[in-house]
Amino acid sequence: MVEVIQGIKAEVGDKVPVGIRLCGLELLDDRGGNTPEESLETFKIAEEAGADYVSITIGWHESARSVITRDVPMGYWLPVARRVKEVVKIPVMMAFRIFTPELAEEALSRGDIDFWEVCRPMIADPQLPKKAAEGREHEIVPCVACNLCFSRLYYHQPIMCTVRPTLGHEGEPEWGYRALPKAPRRRKILVVGGGPAGLQFAATAAKRGHEVVLLERSAELGGSLLLASKVERSDGELLRFVSYLKGECERSGVELLVGREAYPKDAEGFDLTVLAHGARYLKPFPEAIIPKEAFSPSLTPGRAAVIGGEGVGVALALYLSSRGFQVAIIEEAPRIGRDVNPFYLWRYIQILKKRGVQILTGSRPLVLDQGKLLLSHPGGERALEVDLVITALREDRSSELQAWMAHAPQVLLVGDARRPRRLHNSVHEAYRIAKDL
Ligand SMILES: Cc1cc2nc3c(=O)[nH]c(=O)nc-3n(C[C@H](O)[C@H](O)[C@H](O)COP(=O)(O)O)c2cc1C
Ligand code: SF4
């Protein structure tokens, strides 16, 4: 390191500041990594070698702890920066879950850091500094710490951002990174459903100049994100995204009607109806409840079987086990969480195992009779005693199309209503279709 710093400095002279990123906390105690004290030494050595600033990182890919996922509170790693600042005089910078300008401002004014490095929040919104400087913080597209951007790199895929579909298309005006071009013809659009797909669609279409009305059945906007935000601890990232989308709708003139169930007759008078009211849950047994019901605080903890082990099933198991339910996940595939980002999945499985959740893969529910759930299982059949069965099996809403088409000249399905998938699929699909209208 000393030779590298000195070699570069010798080449570039004094006009270019030369800094180095070093790990301030390795989180590798289980495999003999540097201790925090040893890590501090590396910063001192860098300063002595002539580094003009240091950038602090936390953990390595091998660290068996969460570092940048939602369960790590924003600002959690700032004490590491404070320790580094105590041992060096050169400027210290750090990213790692410093997600808002307000938090960065506090850290800077306390002297925890000298510069706010910011990675994912600026992938989500490269205009973050400008918006913050102009007092438009509420317009910042908030990063939800999902790490889709990161994981795409591991799979050698072009980078994508869940909350910003324009990523990678900044140079293509029709993608509307700076502003969406106005549509040649103004259309009247009805959007059914105020979840992420509906909100994203409505805001994007309205920005193109269309007249948009959105109907949401429940009293609150957010759809599946409202439930997802209750699953594990976070700093409200998912709800911040809902607030942002709602703000986008309001700023672009969408008429938002909440607490208003939509019926096919409502489509009359509109040029286009967009069904974005989420997936439908399949009940393998009439007694099975749907996820929304499983989040009711009035449910008494007992033995619960979650049917379906993709992301929704995993989330339900996390939530119910946190409430003291004894949970079993029943999944037909050989493993659970196939659609969950690997940054989260390893930890979710760790938590589920710690809480004693049974993960029954290769299993299919057969019969539910008087609290006994019979399963087909690789070893034959097996019965589980259950107090509650919750379905996490989703299907699209294409069966509803015909009823709407009787009243509407054009009907589109968007998001989970079109095909149940992950958040980024819904948001991107809604944006892509709406921007081309
Ligand atoms: C898509 C992506 C690529 C990254 N590539 C690098 C890299 O090449 N080198 C590096 O030191 N850190 C890299 N990082 C880590 C970031 O620099 C940053 O330390 C991390 O995302 C935590 O900061 P944040 O909470 O502001 O995102 C990358 C992060 C992302 C999301
Ligand atoms: S993909 Fe997810 S983690 Fe990455 S910048 Fe976008 S919202 Fe943030």
Side-chain angles (χ1 to χ4, degrees):
M1 173 177 74
V2 170
E3 284 164 24
V4 171
I5 294 172
Q6 289 175 344
I8 294 174
K9 291 229 28 128
E11 285 295 321
V12 300
D14 284 342
K15 291 209 176 73
V16 181
V18 175
I20 185 162
R21 274 201 119 174
L22 292 170
C23 194
L25 187 64
E26 295 207 324
L27 305 171
L28 288 177
D29 295 350
D30 55 334
R31 54 188 78 195
N34 280 335
T35 62
E37 293 70 31
E38 285 165 343
S39 294
L40 284 181
E41 286 302 312
T42 63
F43 288 90
K44 289 195 228 166
I45 296 169
E47 182 175 40
E48 280 160 23
D52 297 302
Y53 68 89
V54 281
S55 155
I56 304 169
T57 64
I58 307 287
W60 296 104
H61 297 290
E62 297 80 5
S63 305
R65 272 186 58 189
S66 302
V67 176
I68 56 167
T69 37
R70 279 190 295 274
D71 51 314
V72 178
M74 291 184 194
Y76 184 79
W77 303 113
L78 282 169
V80 180
R82 282 201 285 275
R83 285 205 295 273
V84 173
K85 273 199 63 90
E86 280 166 16
V87 299
V88 296
K89 292 194 182 61
I90 50 177
V92 168
M93 44 184 85
M94 192 169 85
F96 288 86
R97 291 291 279 144
I98 306 174
F99 259 31
T100 62
E102 296 82 1
L103 183 59
E105 197 62 56
E106 283 169 28
L108 287 162
S109 50
R110 264 199 316 266
D112 297 348
I113 48 174
D114 299 299
F115 288 89
W116 176 26
E117 270 184 343
V118 48
C119 180
R120 290 167 300 161
M122 274 193 62
I123 293 175
D125 194 344
Q127 296 179 37
L128 180 150
K130 186 168 188 289
K131 290 178 181 172
E134 292 171 359
R136 295 188 291 129
E137 286 88 349
H138 54 286
E139 290 182 32
I140 293 171
V141 191
C143 170
V144 294
C146 63
N147 292 343
L148 172 69
C149 49
F150 234 141
S151 58
R152 299 267 305 172
L153 298 189
Y154 289 103
Y155 295 119
H156 305 288
Q157 297 290 322
I159 190 168
M160 276 170 80
C161 172
T162 294
V163 296
R164 185 167 71 85
T166 57
L167 177 59
H169 301 282
E170 290 82 352
E172 301 161 59
E174 69 279 13
W175 272 83
Y177 168 64
R178 296 201 181 277
L180 278 160
K182 289 287 173 222
R185 184 168 66 90
R186 189 165 202 250
R187 301 169 81 184
K188 270 191 86 173
I189 301 173
L190 174 69
V191 177
V192 176
L199 290 169
Q200 181 71 73
F201 192 99
T204 311
K207 283 184 183 176
R208 293 221 61 211
H210 299 296
E211 182 184 339
V212 186
V213 177
L214 182 147
L215 301 183
E216 165 55 43
R217 181 173 57 172
S218 58
E220 249 182 297
L221 293 166
S224 55
L225 288 182
L226 295 179
L227 296 183
S229 70
K230 294 184 180 157
V231 168
E232 279 290 292
R233 93 142 298 285
S234 74
D235 284 313
E237 283 89 345
L238 298 177
L239 297 181
R240 284 174 70 218
F241 184 46
V242 174
S243 302
Y244 161 77
L245 288 175
K246 179 172 176 260
E248 283 288 279
C249 285
E250 287 165 351
R251 287 186 285 277
S252 52
V254 175
E255 190 179 348
L256 292 169
L257 300 175
V258 293
R260 169 74 164 75
E261 178 98 41
Y263 302 97
K265 245 183 123 21
D266 290 318
E268 287 172 9
F270 287 92
D271 302 313
L272 169 67
T273 298
V274 177
L275 301 181
H277 51 335
R280 182 211 305 281
Y281 283 91
L282 289 165
K283 289 190 176 190
F285 314 107
E287 302 90 325
I289 62 169
I290 61 171
K292 198 171 157 189
E293 294 164 322
F295 281 86
S296 162
S298 62
L299 280 186
T300 316
R303 297 157 302 181
V306 174
I307 312 292
E310 291 200 333
V312 175
V314 171
L316 280 166
L318 285 167
Y319 175 75
L320 292 168
S321 59
S322 77
R323 282 206 53 212
F325 282 82
Q326 289 168 39
V327 184
I329 302 178
I330 320 297
E331 167 59 44
E332 266 196 79
R335 61 191 181 91
I336 60 164
R338 284 170 306 155
D339 57 343
V340 179
N341 188 302
F343 272 85
Y344 281 85
L345 186 60
W346 70 269
R347 202 185 61 78
Y348 287 164
I349 290 179
Q350 205 178 47
I351 297 172
L352 293 175
K353 286 189 173 159
K354 203 166 145 204
R355 292 184 188 157
V357 171
Q358 286 187 75
I359 299 174
L360 302 172
T361 52
S363 303
R364 205 155 39 85
L366 298 173
V367 183
L368 177 64
D369 185 26
Q370 297 185 7
K372 270 206 169 53
L373 176 62
L374 189 66
L375 307 173
S376 75
H377 196 256
E381 286 186 357
R382 167 175 186 169
L384 286 182
E385 304 266 344
V386 291
D387 303 307
L388 195 65
V389 173
I390 307 114
T391 178
L393 304 173
R394 303 185 292 170
E395 70 167 1
D396 62 51
R397 300 267 189 172
S398 52
S399 61
E400 293 173 24
L401 269 177
Q402 209 140 31
W404 286 89
M405 281 161 82
H407 298 271
Q410 193 187 358
V411 185
L412 289 175
L413 287 165
V414 170
D416 286 347
R418 185 188 186 103
R419 187 151 61 88
R421 286 154 292 167
R422 302 297 291 178
L423 175 61
H424 71 275
N425 301 112
S426 292
V427 171
H428 287 217
E429 181 172 271
Y431 188 88
R432 267 197 320 271
I433 298 176
K435 84 169 175 52
D436 289 337
L437 279 178

Coordinates of all heavy atoms in Angstrom, one line a residue, residues 120 123-124 143-149 160-163, ligand 2:
R120 N -25.4 4.1 -3.3 CA -26.7 3.7 -3.8 C -27.7 4.8 -3.9 O -28.5 4.9 -4.8 CB -27.2 2.5 -3.0 CG -26.4 1.2 -3.3 CD -26.7 0.2 -2.3 NE -26.4 0.6 -0.9 CZ -26.8 0.1 0.2 NH1 -27.7 -0.9 0.1 NH2 -26.5 0.6 1.4
I123 N -27.3 6.3 -7.1 CA -27.7 5.5 -8.2 C -29.2 5.7 -8.4 O -29.8 5.9 -9.4 CB -27.4 4.0 -7.9 CG1 -25.9 3.7 -7.9 CG2 -28.1 3.1 -9.0 CD1 -25.5 2.3 -7.6
A124 N -29.9 5.7 -7.2 CA -31.4 5.9 -7.2 C -31.7 7.3 -7.7 O -32.7 7.4 -8.4 CB -31.9 5.6 -5.8
C143 N -33.6 5.5 -2.3 CA -33.0 4.1 -2.5 C -33.7 3.3 -1.4 O -33.8 3.7 -0.3 CB -31.5 4.2 -2.2 SG -30.8 2.6 -2.1
V144 N -34.1 2.1 -1.8 CA -34.7 1.2 -0.8 C -33.8 0.1 -0.3 O -34.2 -0.9 0.4 CB -36.0 0.5 -1.4 CG1 -37.1 1.6 -1.6 CG2 -35.8 -0.3 -2.6
A145 N -32.5 0.3 -0.6 CA -31.5 -0.7 -0.1 C -31.7 -2.1 -0.5 O -31.4 -3.0 0.2 CB -31.3 -0.5 1.4
C146 N -32.3 -2.3 -1.7 CA -32.7 -3.7 -2.1 C -31.5 -4.4 -2.6 O -31.5 -5.6 -2.7 CB -33.8 -3.6 -3.1 SG -33.3 -2.8 -4.6
N147 N -30.5 -3.7 -3.1 CA -29.2 -4.2 -3.6 C -29.4 -5.0 -5.0 O -28.6 -5.8 -5.3 CB -28.5 -5.1 -2.6 CG -28.0 -4.3 -1.5 OD1 -27.9 -3.0 -1.6 ND2 -27.7 -4.9 -0.4
L148 N -30.5 -4.6 -5.7 CA -30.6 -5.2 -7.0 C -29.4 -4.7 -7.9 O -28.8 -5.5 -8.6 CB -31.9 -4.7 -7.6 CG -32.1 -5.0 -9.1 CD1 -32.3 -6.5 -9.3 CD2 -33.3 -4.3 -9.7
C149 N -29.1 -3.4 -7.7 CA -28.0 -2.9 -8.5 C -26.7 -3.7 -8.3 O -26.0 -4.1 -9.3 CB -27.7 -1.4 -8.1 SG -27.6 -1.1 -6.3
M160 N -29.2 -2.3 -12.9 CA -30.6 -1.8 -12.8 C -30.9 -1.2 -11.5 O -30.3 -1.7 -10.5 CB -31.6 -3.0 -13.0 CG -31.9 -3.4 -14.5 SD -32.8 -4.9 -14.5 CE -34.4 -4.4 -14.2
C161 N -31.8 -0.3 -11.4 CA -32.2 0.2 -10.1 C -33.7 0.0 -9.9 O -34.5 0.5 -10.7 CB -31.8 1.7 -9.9 SG -32.5 2.4 -8.4
T162 N -34.1 -0.6 -8.8 CA -35.6 -0.8 -8.6 C -36.4 0.4 -8.7 O -37.5 0.4 -9.3 CB -35.7 -1.5 -7.1 OG1 -35.1 -2.7 -7.2 CG2 -37.2 -1.6 -6.7
V163 N -35.9 1.5 -8.0 CA -36.8 2.7 -7.9 C -36.6 3.7 -9.1 O -37.2 4.7 -9.1 CB -36.5 3.4 -6.6 CG1 -37.0 2.5 -5.4 CG2 -35.1 3.8 -6.4
Ligands
SF4_2 S1 -31.3 -1.0 -7.0 FE1 -32.0 -0.9 -4.9 S2 -30.2 -0.6 -3.6 FE2 -29.6 -0.2 -5.7 S3 -29.8 2.0 -5.8 FE3 -31.7 1.2 -6.6 S4 -33.0 1.1 -4.8 FE4 -31.0 1.4 -4.1

